[in-house]
Amino acid sequence: MTHLETIQDKLCSLPLLVERLASRSEGKKVVFTNGCFDILHRGHISYLAQARDLGDMLVLGLNSDASVRRLKGPMRPINDEVSRALVLAALACVDYVVFFDEDTPYNLIQAVQPDILVKGGDYVVEKIVGYDIVTGRGGKVLTLPFVEGFSTTSIVQRMQSNETKQSD
């Protein structure tokens, strides 16, 4: 298999992902996180690497383009879903990438049944979507700290600010 084929093999439909997870070895811990990951930056890399360190496999739920537009507005995403998925799948710490079109990954979490659910430090653990699913089966829900100064929104705002200054 070529490197590109190996990366593409990490992109799964939900039925294929569920099939692959069903065949996981007993005791293997599945970590799940989700997001838009529109412009991949240092904060994302740190977050995803830390998430993967919590278990044996990291499943990433990726908002579809339509979902990102509903959540972030008509100018987003900057990168289309296939581009975002390929970049994320190329990371060694990411085992599987699966799209979801809803505004939240609740149904995806229900299907994946992760052992550990992870979100960024700006979330309250008990309010994280899927908390009830994961804790209901004895799993953990955790938050990981942000790398200060790194977010897609702040990058976009800096770009817009620079464009405004250049046009003045």
Side-chain angles (χ1 to χ4, degrees), residues 27-143:
K28 293 271 186 181
K29 288 193 188 291
V30 174
V31 180
F32 178 89
T33 194
N34 66 280
C36 301
F37 298 95
D38 197 2
I39 299 175
L40 199 62
H41 54 72
R42 179 176 142 192
H44 289 139
I45 300 301
S46 176
Y47 170 77
L48 293 171
Q50 289 177 64
R52 177 59 174 80
D53 285 342
L54 296 170
D56 301 298
M57 174 182 317
L58 178 59
V59 175
L60 192 150
L62 186 62
N63 291 77
S64 69
D65 288 349
S67 175
V68 174
R69 275 191 290 280
R70 284 193 306 274
L71 296 170
K72 307 257 182 191
M75 299 306 290
R76 300 278 298 274
I78 293 164
N79 293 300
D80 67 85
E81 62 190 40
V82 173
S83 298
R84 292 182 287 124
L86 279 173
V87 169
L88 290 160
L91 299 174
C93 59
V94 175
D95 294 285
Y96 296 111
V97 176
V98 60
F99 293 110
F100 67 98
D101 196 43
E102 300 84 8
D103 291 347
T104 75
Y106 191 83
N107 293 331
L108 180 55
I109 294 166
Q110 182 71 49
V112 170
Q113 293 289 308
D115 301 291
I116 302 168
L117 174 59
V118 179
K119 287 299 285 178
D122 58 337
Y123 284 82
V124 174
V125 169
E126 295 78 17
K127 293 185 178 183
I128 293 174
V129 170
Y131 175 88
D132 58 329
I133 297 167
V134 176
T135 59
R137 54 187 301 271
K140 296 179 187 174
V141 180
L142 306 168
T143 59

